[in-house]
Amino acid sequence: MGGGLSISRASEVFEDLTSYDDLAFYFKNAVGISSGASGVTGWTDSSDENNDLTQTGEDNMGSSTQGGISFDGTNDYYTLGSNIDIGNENPFTFFIVLNMGSGLGTVLGTPDSTEQYVGFTRIDTIKIKQTAGATILGDTSRPFANGETMALCVTKDKNRNYRVFKNNGGVIDFSSVTLNPGEAGAFILNQIGMTSTGSANFVGIMHELGLYTVLLSDGQINTVLKYLVNKFSI
C-alpha cells in the first residue's frame, strides 16, 4: 500500500489530501509511523499543522500493520498534537480508509468527560455525538462490512446535517435517521481510537485518515475518494 498515485483532471492534478486547503491533520499510509518495543509510538502529521499522533503508554499502543495502525479494541488510542473544535456549527469533512471489526469503534474522540465521538457501530450504523444526544444513521443494507477495507467520508455542514460517503463517492442512503440535524454542543477533538471514558475502543486497522475543517464540495469529496479507492485497490 502507499505510493505516489495522483489523479489528473481537466484543471488540476490531485496528488493526495494536501491538495486542498484547511486540512487539520493527515495521517498518510506508510509515512511517518514511529515504532518502539511495545508498538507504534506515533504517526507524523503530513499536513502543515504538526498535529502528530502520539502515545507514551506501552499498554495503549497499537501495532504497525500494512502502513497503518492496528487497534486491539481494548485500550489502544492516540492523542493529537492540538485540539480541533468540530462542535456546534463548525463544519468538517473527514476521510478514513479502515478495516474494522464488530462493535462500536470510535474513530474520532475527545478527552472531555461528556463522551463526544464519531464512531462506526457493528456493520450498519455510524454514530456522531456532541454534548447532547447522539446523531445515529442506520442502514439495514449493512454498508459497513466487518473485515472489509473501505474508504469512507463523513461530513457535517454548518446546520449540523451529516452525510456519509463510501468508496465510489456515492452517498449512503440511510434507511433510519434520528437526530439529523445533530444536537448542538461542544466537540473538542483530541483523540483517535477511543472515547473520553475509555469505552467503545476501535478494533481493526486505520490505514489513512485526514480531517478538513471545512465542508468540501461533492466534486472534491469524489476526487479524494477516487484517489483513496485507487491507492488501496478497493
Side-chain angles (χ1 to χ4, degrees):
M1 294 185 180
L5 177 70
S6 64
I7 296 175
S8 297
R9 304 191 68 174
S11 60
E12 66 178 337
V13 175
F14 184 88
E15 296 289 348
D16 58 22
L17 274 68
T18 60
S19 297
Y20 295 141
D21 295 333
D22 301 298
L23 186 60
F25 65 72
Y26 177 28
F27 302 109
K28 191 173 183 179
N29 187 265
V31 176
I33 291 184
S34 302
S35 296
S38 299
V40 174
T41 57
W43 200 347
T44 301
D45 182 11
S46 289
S47 79
D48 294 329
E49 299 301 318
N50 298 315
N51 253 328
D52 300 345
L53 289 180
T54 58
Q55 179 56 264
T56 58
E58 294 184 355
D59 293 336
N60 304 113
M61 295 178 182
S63 58
S64 179
T65 304
Q66 300 174 19
I69 298 178
S70 178
F71 294 74
D72 65 6
T74 302
N75 55 6
D76 293 346
Y77 75 97
Y78 290 84
T79 302
L80 283 165
S82 60
N83 295 341
I84 303 171
D85 186 356
I86 59 173
N88 292 306
E89 283 70 47
N90 294 330
F92 68 82
T93 307
F94 173 63
F95 292 93
I96 185 167
V97 177
L98 51 71
N99 185 306
M100 62 183 176
S102 59
L104 172 60
T106 299
V107 179
L108 305 178
T110 175
D112 191 285
S113 60
T114 52
E115 270 202 325
Q116 301 134 16
Y117 57 81
V118 173
F120 300 97
T121 180
R122 301 183 183 88
I123 55 179
D124 56 5
T125 307
I126 179 172
K127 297 180 74 173
I128 305 104
K129 185 177 186 297
Q130 293 186 180
T131 300
T135 297
I136 303 172
L137 305 179
D139 189 334
T140 56
S141 68
R142 300 186 171 186
F144 308 138
N146 291 342
E148 175 189 4
T149 300
M150 298 174 287
L152 300 175
C153 175
V154 181
T155 70
K156 183 185 82 170
D157 66 20
K158 64 181 181 179
N159 296 315
R160 303 190 304 277
N161 289 301
Y162 293 93
R163 292 194 299 168
V164 183
F165 301 73
K166 177 184 175 183
N167 292 349
N168 62 4
V171 180
I172 295 175
D173 183 15
F174 286 97
S175 58
S176 173
V177 179
T178 60
L179 295 180
N180 200 15
E183 298 284 347
F187 190 155
I188 305 299
L189 170 62
N190 186 256
Q191 293 181 163
I192 302 294
M194 80 170 188
T195 66
S196 58
T197 59
S199 62
N201 293 61
F202 181 81
V203 56
I205 304 169
M206 297 188 194
H207 295 282
E208 185 158 323
L209 57 156
L211 177 85
Y212 298 90
T213 52
V214 295
L215 179 64
L216 295 186
S217 70
D218 283 8
Q220 291 171 321
I221 290 169
N222 290 340
T223 297
V224 176
L225 286 173
K226 180 179 178 182
Y227 163 80
L228 294 172
V229 165
N230 287 337
K231 178 177 181 177
F232 290 91
S233 299
I234 295 172

